[in-house]
Amino acid sequence: MKDIDKLQKRNRKLRGLTELAGSMGLAITGLIGLLFLGILIWQIAEPTFIEGERGEITAASESIPESNYRFKWDFPTVDENGKLYSDPVVVRFQWNDENGFHSHDVQINVIDTRQVKTDIYIDSNGVDQTEIEVGRKTNFNAYSSIRVPVSVEQISGPVPNADKTGYPSVNSFVITGDVHILLDDENEQVFQPMELIAWITLLILVIVLTWPIVATLKIIQKLKGRRTLIKLASYVLAGITFVVSDGMFVAAALGGICWIVSGVILYRIAEGIERLESLGRELSEPSRLKHSISDRDGVLMWSRMLLFTSALFIPLLIDIPFLTERYQDIFIPYASGIRAAFYGTIWVMLIAMFVSIPISVGAAIYLDEYAKPNRTTKLIQALVTNLAGVPSIVFGMFGLAIFVKQDGFGWGLGPSVLAAGLTMGVMAMPIIVLAGQEALRSVPRTLRESAYGIGCTKWEVTKDHVLPSAMPGMMTGTILAMSRIMGEAAPLVVIGATAMILFDPEPLAALNGGNVNFTVIPIQIYFWTAEPDHAWHSMAAAASIALICLLIAMNSIAIVLRQHFRKRLKS
Amino acid sequence: MSFLNRISKDKAGTILFLTSLSVILITLGIIQTLLFETITFFTDIAEHRGWFSLDWDFGGILSASGFAFLILLVALLIDYESKKEKNRLSYIPQEILNPHHGIMKAIFIIVLLQLLLNDSFLLGISILFFAMIWRAAGKLQMKRIYGGNIEISNTWRNVLFLFIFITLFDAITMNYSGAFGEFFLQNQWTPTGACEDRRSLCDTMSFGVNSLLLTTLQVAFGALLIAVPLGVGCAIYLSEYAPPRLVAIVKPTLEILAGIPSVVYGFFAFIYIGPLVVEFGEYAFANGWIDDPPNILNPINGAIVVGVMILPLIASLSEDALRAVPNELREGSLALGATKIETTMKVMIQASLSGIVASIILALSRAVGETMAVTLAVGTVAVYTSNMFLPAQTMTAYIAQRVGGDLPFGEIGYLTIFAVGLYLFFITLCLNLLGNKVLSTYREAY
């Protein structure tokens, strides 16, 4: 008996040990997975600090150790039209050998033609050339056949690592954002007074709506009976804001909307107070006021979102030259920006949304509300599920054959924004349909049945009862689908997007015969990564960060919307 | 007439039906464009070289494929014998049929690893099959000896027959030519050739898609090798062990990570993973394990980055599957005295296995169809080699690279991308159908 006890004890010990090892292993695997993902995020952000290439030739202390040495001549100084204007570069080679001290100057002229190069050969007699011509963006070599080190020094000529506009040259964060608050660097005002007043009014009203206090409500109480006047006044102020603004369209539009939303909030509060009074309640109970204002949650959400959005444009004037001002520079990586790509992305997304949302929401409603479970429905359902998993490049080939080329079924739109938007819309369609169906399925059955019970038709039930409850899910799905196609580059490579675009893309160029070329941010990243030069990689990292920031913003809007509507559905 | 009546009665329904018809139209459009150009491609080659022809060579029995054929034949024999009647294999000692678990697992891992490194793909597959049949036969014998319900299925035998035919075909045919033989069975992919006129077909062009397919599979399965342990481990940790507060942070992070564009991952691979892999490759080259010096662009690089890409997908889908298991199962297992790890490994994973498998299949489909990251990480040289440190080209990367040069409509290069695209579409479609089917079985179960 004792032996068996002992055995069991030891077994238990062993079992506990394996138990511990197993669960530790699992936990460690999980943590490693999480760590992996965390490191990934950090690493994606990190390469922006890649050390850029110096534009100068080499420091004087560097020596040529008997073999060959390669020069890099990447950033010659150019003017606005891309013409070279710099002085020639003079390089001095110096060495000491058995014949004594040697010093030779070589003049390097950078010319406009590409792929022209002349190598420099150094032997015991000296340097074979005193003046060479080199095309821009061309590498050329200095070969030395002597046994002693040769030092290289730049004597004259431009040092192109920091150009005349003072763009950051090396080792610096390339997304430069200038944030001006009310005044810019020269102490000049950068805001429009009307918009600023509108924004402040909205801010105050949002605070009042969030925490209703008796003192403030007393003031609003005086406005009762003049509700129409409030609305009218807000419209008039919005109109004035729009007329007075000189040229700043976005700020003026946002200011106008701020006025209107302020009017709506004031109207609702006054309405709520009147309702309370007609019930014979006192104002000293603000919690009652919260319930008497119709749709307080919704108004609060929209006004808060408006407040945050317009904060960027009205009181703070955020200005990111990398994103919205600079085009790609032909020669200087650090002077490049992604303006063309940014606007291209926005246009492609807008066209894709315009194409895909009505069709796919309609299809989702049909499949979930109208369709009888017959063979056609099953077929469509299977097709939708499988289309969502088709590789994106196949959609690109579909777009190439149907939208871009003009033959057979082709529409002949060319490699244009319109063709890209249509292709992306087609790609987003199955994703939105699936998300919409999921949302429609989550609407409780009782809601539909009670609506039918009071005599609604099928369309009325769908439009007035099912769709509003399914809206958050649909919106979330749509935003997620849009953020997915925003980062997609493969179909656009197939369609024929190119990287070197020095103008804003025209969305309808394919129809009225303009310049159809366009680019988007992922394409820009792809082509910059494929460049051999390390400095372009730094720019690719900067563009990646810009893209990821945009995506995270979109995803968080989706998450916030979902949380809000989920809370509302619960209550 | 009833259809017309319905239209006039319910306008909204009809309009909505038309919108959903567009989905059918899109699918038909995709298949039509791919199929149309692919048929043109095959007809073009067939006019030049005929449709299909074979050269028989029975000396090929002695090659690696012939050896694979023999192994499969032995496996078939074992399968047949073990299922025929009771104690048929009793003259084989039990220790050989059922060795220790640890040895068993080690053998399986070695067999799977040799599949990646083996030059002959068919030989690797046949060894894997042999190991599986051996295991199945061992289990059957155990059941016969100790009792238990014995279900004999003949699925394995059918699969074996299929593979026996494939290996035999591969062993005794030395040359395939003609349009189909060249495309599906040859290994050399040189679609531009060394011709003066690259636009039309010439003799030096070769269209053996296996070169692209091999790299695609290397990248996809390599990615699974990384993503499955980490992803499933992550899912188990999140659903069984992690505190709810951590889950609330990690879940949205996973969503955002899954949304990071593939070109950014490609950049990441190009800048960071490539040089790391090259360092390992240099070490291997210095020790003589590989014949050629490593390149910064290689399939291992692609496999790692695609593995990281599909990790969030596997993690979130598997976690959903684990959470869908009813709590009674977990509580019942714990009440019987099983520890937490036993509950996880023997109850939760068993119960949610189909969901986990579905997530793996869908992730495989995503890995096969991945384009930009692979184009940047793997390279653009189509070679048929098992050395994974050399630059290669996947099917998607070929399409992206070839089409970048603005192809004129109707020339041979334009047609090749559609042939490759149709093959890719077919592979991913099969994987998706399979994955969705498995997914729906687990959704029905709970």
Side-chain angles (χ1 to χ4, degrees):
Chain A
M1 262 334 253
K2 253 186 182 174
D3 287 350
I4 290 174
D5 265 2
K6 223 180 193 174
L7 204 66
Q8 274 184 344
K9 223 176 221 171
R10 192 197 286 162
N11 266 352
R12 206 178 298 146
K13 219 177 205 171
L14 207 66
R15 211 175 117 182
L17 215 65
T18 41
E19 162 81 13
L20 196 69
S23 47
M24 285 284 281
L26 265 183
I28 286 170
T29 319
L31 285 177
I32 286 175
L34 298 182
L35 194 75
F36 218 53
L37 301 178
I39 286 176
L40 186 81
I41 299 177
W42 179 72
Q43 289 283 32
I44 288 170
E46 205 251 0
T48 319
F49 303 102
I50 288 170
E51 195 178 325
E53 297 274 350
R54 285 292 178 117
E56 59 192 273
I57 292 181
T58 39
S61 59
E62 295 258 349
S63 59
I64 301 180
E66 81 195 75
S67 63
N68 50 33
Y69 196 82
R70 201 178 70 165
F71 284 149
K72 266 195 155 173
W73 184 249
D74 283 327
F75 318 132
T77 320
V78 287
D79 62 8
E80 289 86 356
N81 303 321
K83 289 273 173 223
L84 295 163
Y85 68 85
S86 63
D87 302 326
V89 180
V90 178
V91 177
R92 180 170 291 167
F93 293 90
Q94 290 174 330
W95 68 91
N96 260 319
D97 61 0
E98 60 266 24
N99 300 336
F101 180 74
H102 289 262
S103 174
H104 294 278
D105 289 357
V106 178
Q107 185 179 338
I108 302 166
N109 298 316
V110 181
I111 56 172
D112 237 359
T113 331
R114 285 193 177 207
Q115 296 306 327
V116 171
K117 68 166 189 174
T118 320
D119 292 337
I120 303 169
Y121 290 92
I122 303 167
D123 53 16
S124 48
N125 300 326
V127 180
D128 65 335
Q129 311 220 27
T130 52
E131 189 172 345
I132 61 169
E133 284 192 336
V134 175
R136 62 190 185 194
K137 284 200 98 174
T138 309
N139 294 333
F140 63 100
N141 298 313
Y143 298 105
S144 131
S145 58
I146 47 180
R147 289 250 154 235
V148 288
V150 179
S151 71
V152 187
E153 193 182 358
Q154 182 176 352
I155 302 300
S156 70
V159 181
N161 64 334
D163 69 335
K164 61 184 189 303
T165 44
Y167 286 127
S169 54
V170 284
N171 266 340
S172 46
F173 198 66
V174 273
I175 305 179
T176 48
D178 304 328
V179 182
H180 303 302
I181 301 176
L182 299 180
L183 302 174
D184 70 2
D185 295 338
E186 281 96 39
N187 277 336
E188 285 173 30
Q189 70 171 42
V190 288
F191 63 93
Q192 307 285 319
M194 283 297 281
E195 281 98 341
L196 193 68
I197 296 168
W199 190 76
I200 291 170
T201 319
L202 186 64
L203 180 65
I204 294 168
L205 284 174
V206 167
I207 292 171
V208 169
L209 193 59
T210 317
W211 300 288
I213 310 167
V214 182
T216 47
L217 292 180
K218 283 258 166 64
I219 303 169
I220 298 173
Q221 203 176 9
K222 287 172 191 162
L223 290 172
K224 72 172 177 186
R226 288 172 217 157
R227 282 190 289 164
T228 352
L229 199 68
I230 296 174
K231 251 190 180 170
L232 211 62
S234 75
Y235 290 149
V236 169
L237 282 169
I240 291 173
T241 312
F242 213 76
V243 172
V244 168
S245 74
D246 51 304
M248 298 187 66
F249 179 77
V250 178
L254 282 173
I257 299 172
C258 280
W259 278 123
I260 293 171
V261 172
S262 311
V264 169
I265 295 175
L266 216 53
Y267 182 89
R268 290 273 173 91
I269 295 178
E271 193 189 42
I273 292 172
E274 268 180 37
R275 205 173 282 160
L276 274 187
E277 280 180 347
S278 68
L279 289 172
R281 302 276 184 190
E282 283 297 313
L283 262 185
S284 52
E285 293 170 275
S287 62
R288 286 194 187 282
L289 186 74
K290 278 185 187 175
H291 294 292
S292 65
I293 295 172
S294 48
D295 194 19
R296 176 172 166 275
D297 263 355
V299 173
L300 211 52
M301 183 193 74
W302 288 113
S303 51
R304 274 178 193 161
M305 272 165 79
L306 180 66
L307 201 66
F308 288 130
T309 320
S310 46
L312 300 178
F313 292 95
I314 296 173
L316 315 170
L317 195 76
I318 288 192
D319 168 29
I320 304 172
F322 177 75
L323 204 62
T324 55
E325 273 174 30
R326 292 189 224 147
Y327 293 106
Q328 178 179 359
D329 197 285
I330 305 173
F331 310 108
I332 311 165
Y334 295 116
S336 298
I338 52 170
R339 178 183 166 126
F342 181 63
Y343 284 103
T345 303
I346 288 178
W347 278 118
V348 169
M349 298 266 297
L350 281 180
I351 294 171
M353 277 167 83
F354 190 73
V355 173
S356 65
I357 290 178
I359 294 180
S360 33
V361 169
I365 293 170
Y366 176 78
L367 284 175
D368 243 47
E369 301 290 317
Y370 280 79
K372 296 183 180 70
N374 55 17
R375 204 170 277 173
T376 324
T377 316
K378 260 188 191 165
L379 177 72
I380 297 176
Q381 190 66 57
L383 287 180
V384 168
T385 320
N386 286 307
L387 266 186
V390 167
S392 55
I393 197 159
V394 173
F395 282 104
M397 287 159 72
F398 168 72
L400 178 70
I402 298 288
F403 301 129
V404 178
K405 301 283 179 184
Q406 188 159 28
D407 194 80
F409 288 88
W411 296 8
L413 295 176
S416 61
V417 175
L418 197 59
L422 288 171
T423 311
M424 288 306 210
V426 168
M427 219 185 99
M429 231 175 254
I431 312 174
I432 304 179
V433 172
L434 285 181
Q437 277 187 293
E438 199 86 355
L440 284 171
R441 256 178 239 142
S442 69
V443 175
R445 184 132 200 93
T446 45
L447 191 70
R448 288 191 190 103
E449 274 159 13
S450 47
Y452 282 127
I454 55 169
C456 293
T457 62
K458 200 162 201 174
W459 176 238
E460 281 169 355
V461 173
T462 311
K463 181 184 61 148
D464 297 336
H465 301 273
V466 177
L467 264 189
S469 333
M471 214 55 203
M474 283 192 170
M475 275 164 82
T476 317
T478 309
I479 293 175
L480 288 180
M482 286 299 138
S483 74
R484 189 180 150 194
I485 66 166
M486 193 170 166
E488 208 50 84
L492 298 185
V493 168
V494 176
I495 277 177
T498 45
M500 275 301 274
I501 303 293
L502 303 179
F503 52 87
D504 287 346
E506 304 160 40
L508 295 178
L511 300 179
N512 52 29
N515 193 340
V516 294
N517 289 330
F518 75 103
T519 181
V520 295
I521 302 177
I523 297 280
Q524 199 82 56
I525 297 170
Y526 172 60
F527 280 102
W528 279 349
T529 310
E531 288 265 343
D533 201 328
H534 216 59
W536 289 112
H537 297 168
S538 200
M539 298 311 289
S544 303
I545 289 177
L547 182 60
I548 290 173
C549 286
L550 290 175
L551 289 176
I552 287 179
M554 281 181 77
N555 278 359
S556 16
I557 289 177
I559 291 169
V560 166
L561 266 178
R562 195 169 57 194
Q563 295 293 345
H564 173 83
F565 282 105
R566 207 176 265 167
K567 206 168 75 186
R568 206 188 66 178
L569 275 183
K570 260 185 202 164
S571 62
Chain B
M1 282 317 278
S2 64
F3 184 68
L4 286 179
N5 280 340
R6 242 184 70 203
I7 287 180
S8 56
K9 221 188 253 173
D10 194 353
K11 275 179 196 155
T14 317
I15 293 168
L16 291 174
F17 175 66
L18 287 180
T19 60
S20 71
L21 264 186
S22 69
V23 175
I24 295 185
L25 276 181
I26 290 167
T27 320
L28 285 182
I30 289 177
I31 293 171
Q32 180 263 333
T33 45
L34 293 176
L35 206 60
F36 188 70
E37 308 290 354
T38 310
I39 289 170
T40 323
F41 169 73
F42 279 121
T43 350
D44 274 12
I45 305 181
E47 274 173 17
H48 209 249
R49 299 170 195 179
W51 282 99
F52 191 69
S53 66
L54 290 173
D55 292 341
W56 301 103
D57 179 7
F58 291 93
I61 290 285
L62 299 174
S63 67
S65 299
F67 191 57
F69 167 67
L70 279 182
I71 291 176
L72 284 175
L73 217 58
V74 173
L76 185 73
L77 205 69
I78 292 177
D79 188 52
Y80 183 73
E81 287 290 317
S82 68
K83 282 172 184 170
K84 202 170 178 191
E85 64 184 65
K86 201 173 178 182
N87 295 339
R88 187 75 184 208
L89 293 180
S90 56
Y91 49 84
I92 298 177
Q94 278 299 311
E95 287 77 31
I96 293 181
L97 270 183
N98 290 299
H100 190 263
H101 282 292
I103 299 172
M104 216 67 221
K105 277 168 191 163
I107 287 174
F108 260 92
I109 288 169
I110 290 168
V111 166
L112 281 176
L113 278 182
Q114 65 88 27
L115 200 60
L116 280 179
L117 302 173
N118 201 338
D119 259 339
S120 169
F121 190 67
L122 283 173
L123 188 61
I125 287 271
S126 68
I127 294 172
L128 181 68
F129 274 19
F130 184 79
M132 281 170 151
I133 291 294
W134 171 46
R135 187 86 194 95
K139 267 188 181 168
L140 204 63
Q141 284 311 97
M142 287 291 272
K143 269 186 187 169
R144 286 222 163 103
I145 291 167
Y146 296 109
N149 53 339
I150 297 169
E151 294 165 9
I152 295 176
S153 83
N154 288 331
T155 328
W156 268 114
R157 205 173 291 172
N158 298 337
V159 176
L160 272 182
F161 266 121
L162 180 71
F163 267 85
I164 282 176
F165 274 116
I166 291 175
T167 44
L168 190 62
F169 180 79
D170 192 62
I172 63 177
T173 52
M174 292 321 279
N175 271 317
Y176 334 94
S177 52
F180 288 123
E182 187 176 332
F183 189 76
F184 289 109
L185 298 170
Q186 286 189 5
N187 297 335
Q188 198 192 0
W189 182 262
T190 46
T192 47
C195 319
E196 286 174 7
D197 181 19
R198 288 181 166 196
R199 286 155 186 254
S200 57
L201 202 63
C202 72
D203 284 333
T204 48
M205 287 183 178
S206 179
F207 304 98
V209 83
N210 279 349
S211 158
L212 303 179
L213 187 65
L214 179 73
T215 315
T216 308
L217 293 181
Q218 278 174 345
V219 169
F221 281 98
L224 282 191
L225 215 61
I226 295 164
V228 169
L230 285 179
V232 175
C234 200
I236 293 172
Y237 178 69
L238 283 180
S239 76
E240 304 289 319
Y241 290 93
R245 200 174 281 176
L246 184 67
V247 178
I249 298 169
V250 169
K251 263 288 204 182
T253 320
L254 274 182
E255 254 172 52
I256 286 175
L257 254 180
I260 285 184
S262 72
V263 68
V264 175
Y265 281 107
F267 171 76
F268 178 62
F270 191 83
I271 300 289
Y272 280 99
I273 304 175
L276 276 180
V277 174
V278 165
E279 270 179 32
F280 281 105
E282 293 283 0
Y283 184 69
F285 182 58
N287 287 340
W289 297 339
I290 52 175
D291 297 336
D292 301 288
N295 193 294
I296 197 160
L297 302 173
N298 51 55
I300 295 181
N301 187 1
I304 293 173
V305 75
V306 174
V308 176
M309 279 187 72
I310 59 178
L311 204 157
L313 183 75
I314 292 185
S316 67
L317 276 180
S318 303
E319 203 216 331
D320 287 346
L322 281 166
R323 282 196 191 280
V325 176
N327 223 5
E328 290 89 63
L329 280 181
R330 187 184 291 124
E331 281 159 6
S333 165
L334 289 173
L336 281 173
T339 54
K340 203 168 180 183
I341 181 79
E342 282 168 351
T343 310
T344 307
M345 298 309 267
K346 297 199 171 147
V347 177
M348 301 306 287
I349 289 188
Q350 299 289 328
S352 62
L353 195 64
S354 56
I356 293 174
V357 169
S359 81
I360 292 170
I361 294 172
L362 292 178
L364 182 65
S365 146
R366 175 79 70 84
V368 167
E370 179 44 53
T371 309
M372 294 322 275
V374 169
T375 311
L376 284 172
V378 176
T380 51
V381 192
V383 286
Y384 186 82
T385 167
S386 60
N387 183 355
M388 284 174 74
F389 285 102
L390 291 180
Q393 193 171 38
T394 64
M395 297 164 92
T396 48
Y398 172 72
I399 298 172
Q401 177 246 336
R402 193 67 205 274
V403 90
D406 194 25
L407 286 169
F409 188 78
E411 77 165 49
I412 190 75
Y414 180 79
L415 296 176
T416 53
I417 65 165
F418 284 92
V420 174
L422 184 65
Y423 203 15
L424 181 74
F425 179 72
F426 187 70
I427 293 171
T428 50
L429 191 70
C430 289
L431 285 174
N432 284 335
L433 282 172
L434 190 67
N436 285 324
K437 190 150 194 214
V438 176
L439 206 62
S440 64
T441 53
Y442 110 79
R443 281 200 180 134
E444 273 164 24
Y446 303 113

